[in-house]
């Protein structure tokens, strides 16, 4: 009977010692496990925060580029307006020069139909005709100049229209991308706010859990130690009894 009691007490003592071993370090294990959870949460928040910062930077770059494109479009449009006003004036100049040539040719034709016996009068007539012919030549030269200017203006107009079309297309694309990035930023900021709120809740719950683990370790470890000591004392008494009986 005594042997059975000793075995039972030894089993209880062993169980209490195992329990004490399991309890000891519970708070540290809880802290280590929760630290990993906190790190994971912080990494997730930092990842979202980085995405927010990158998106904000992309938005600033797009806004700057759109502003540049609006300035470019205005500059091109203003130059196009000037050219489109200039082209009709050049054409009008050409028409006036051609009309002037026609008038001069009629005068030359009229004067050429005259002939004077007087040498001085004839020389004067020839000088008048030569002057008119020089004026006609100047008009032809000026028409060539105006046509060359018209050609340059038309080439510049075509070039500017192409630049304007490309600038407007890029601006429209940039404005679309800006809208996409702003929508993305809205959702990322919302996600970041939700993550931070959830993290605060998790931190609070983790702190409560660790505190409870510390309390449990302190109270349970002490109780197990006291119970194990009581069993040990009981075993000592039994062993003394057996020795005395023998």
């Amino acid at each position: 009977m005594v042997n059975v009691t000793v075995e039972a007490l030894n089993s209880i003592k062993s169980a209490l010692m195992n329990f004490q071993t399991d309890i000891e370090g519970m708070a540290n294990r809880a802290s280590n496990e929760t630290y990993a959870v906190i790190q994971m949460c912080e990494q997730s928040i930092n990842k979202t925060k980085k995405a927010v910062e990158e998106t904000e930077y992309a938005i600033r770059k797009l806004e700057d580029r759109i502003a540049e494109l609006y300035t470019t479009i205005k500059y091109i449009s203003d130059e196009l307006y000037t050219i489109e006003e200039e082209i009709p004036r050049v054409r009008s100049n050409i028409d006036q020069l051609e009309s002037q040539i026609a008038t001069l040719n009629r005068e030359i034709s009229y004067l050429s139909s005259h002939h004077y016996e007087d040498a001085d009068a004839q020389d004067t007539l020839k000088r008048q005709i030569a002057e008119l012919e020089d004026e006609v030549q100047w008009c032809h030269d000026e028409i060539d100049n105006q046509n060359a200017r018209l050609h340059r203006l038309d080439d510049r107009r075509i070039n500017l229209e192409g630049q304007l079309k490309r600038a407007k297309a890029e601006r429209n694309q940039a404005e679309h991308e800006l809208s996409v990035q702003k929508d993305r930023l809205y959702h990322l900021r919302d996600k970041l706010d939700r993550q931070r709120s959830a993290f605060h809740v998790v931190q609070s719950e983790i702190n409560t859990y660790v505190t409870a683990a510390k309390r449990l370790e302190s109270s349970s470890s002490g109780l197990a130690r006291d119970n194990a000591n009581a069993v040990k004392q009981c075993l000592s008494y039994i062993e003394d009894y057996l020795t005395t009986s023998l």
Side-chain angles (χ1 to χ4, degrees):
M1 179 65 179
V2 172
N3 289 337
V4 173
T5 302
V6 172
E7 289 177 5
L9 287 171
N10 276 325
S11 296
I12 293 171
K13 180 183 177 182
S14 177
L16 288 169
M17 294 302 292
N18 290 336
F19 177 72
Q20 183 178 352
T21 301
D22 291 339
I23 287 295
E24 287 178 350
M26 176 185 287
N28 286 335
R29 291 195 299 273
S31 294
N32 291 337
E33 291 171 359
T34 54
Y35 177 73
V37 173
I38 288 174
Q39 271 195 322
M40 183 179 67
C41 291
E42 288 178 338
Q43 286 173 357
S44 181
I45 288 173
N46 289 336
K47 182 179 179 181
T48 304
K49 186 179 178 182
K50 183 179 179 182
V52 167
E53 291 171 352
E54 289 175 347
T55 305
E56 287 174 339
Y57 176 75
I59 286 173
R60 287 195 299 272
K61 293 290 287 183
L62 283 168
E63 287 175 338
D64 289 345
R65 181 56 184 157
I66 288 169
E68 289 175 2
L69 287 167
Y70 268 103
T71 300
T72 300
I73 287 168
K74 184 180 184 307
Y75 176 81
I76 294 172
S77 298
D78 288 346
E79 188 174 352
L80 269 173
Y81 178 79
T82 301
I83 288 173
E84 287 169 354
E85 282 198 327
E86 181 68 13
I87 287 174
R89 284 199 293 268
V90 173
R91 286 176 176 160
S92 176
N93 289 340
I94 292 171
D95 290 341
Q96 289 176 7
L97 287 165
E98 288 176 342
S99 177
Q100 188 175 349
I101 288 171
T103 300
L104 290 168
N105 283 332
R106 284 196 295 272
E107 289 183 25
I108 291 169
S109 178
Y110 173 76
L111 291 175
S112 296
S113 64
H114 290 75
H115 179 74
Y116 296 101
E117 294 296 333
D118 182 71
D120 291 336
Q122 188 64 29
D123 288 341
T124 300
L125 179 63
K126 287 180 179 179
R127 283 196 302 273
Q128 289 177 337
I129 293 172
E131 288 173 357
L132 291 172
E133 288 175 341
D134 288 343
E135 194 171 345
V136 168
Q137 185 57 50
W138 179 88
C139 288
H140 280 298
D141 291 341
E142 187 59 25
I143 286 174
D144 289 341
N145 291 335
Q146 292 296 315
N147 277 323
R149 176 170 175 73
L150 186 63
H151 182 71
R152 288 193 300 271
L153 287 170
D154 199 49
D155 285 346
R156 181 60 177 164
R157 177 185 60 79
I158 293 170
N159 181 269
L160 287 171
E161 286 175 348
Q163 291 182 34
L164 183 63
K165 183 178 179 180
R166 290 190 294 273
K168 285 182 176 180
E170 185 180 350
R171 179 202 60 189
N172 293 340
Q173 179 61 34
E175 287 179 336
H176 172 72
E177 181 62 22
L178 179 63
S179 176
V180 171
Q181 291 297 329
K182 283 184 174 180
D183 184 63
R184 182 170 185 265
L185 180 61
Y186 171 81
H187 290 293
L188 283 171
R189 282 176 173 170
D190 180 64
K191 179 181 178 181
L192 184 60
D193 288 341
R194 286 185 285 107
Q195 283 180 328
R196 283 172 172 167
S197 297
F199 180 60
H200 290 321
V201 174
V202 168
Q203 273 189 315
S204 177
E205 293 298 324
I206 282 175
N207 290 336
T208 301
Y209 167 64
V210 172
T211 300
K214 287 179 179 178
R215 289 175 181 171
L216 177 61
E217 178 182 352
S218 178
S219 60
S220 298
S221 180
L223 180 61
R225 191 179 301 108
D226 291 342
N227 288 338
N229 288 336
V231 171
K232 184 179 180 181
Q233 186 66 43
C234 186
L235 285 170
S236 177
Y237 290 150
I238 291 173
E239 287 171 357
D240 288 344
Y241 170 77
L242 290 174
T243 301
T244 302
S245 296
L246 293 171

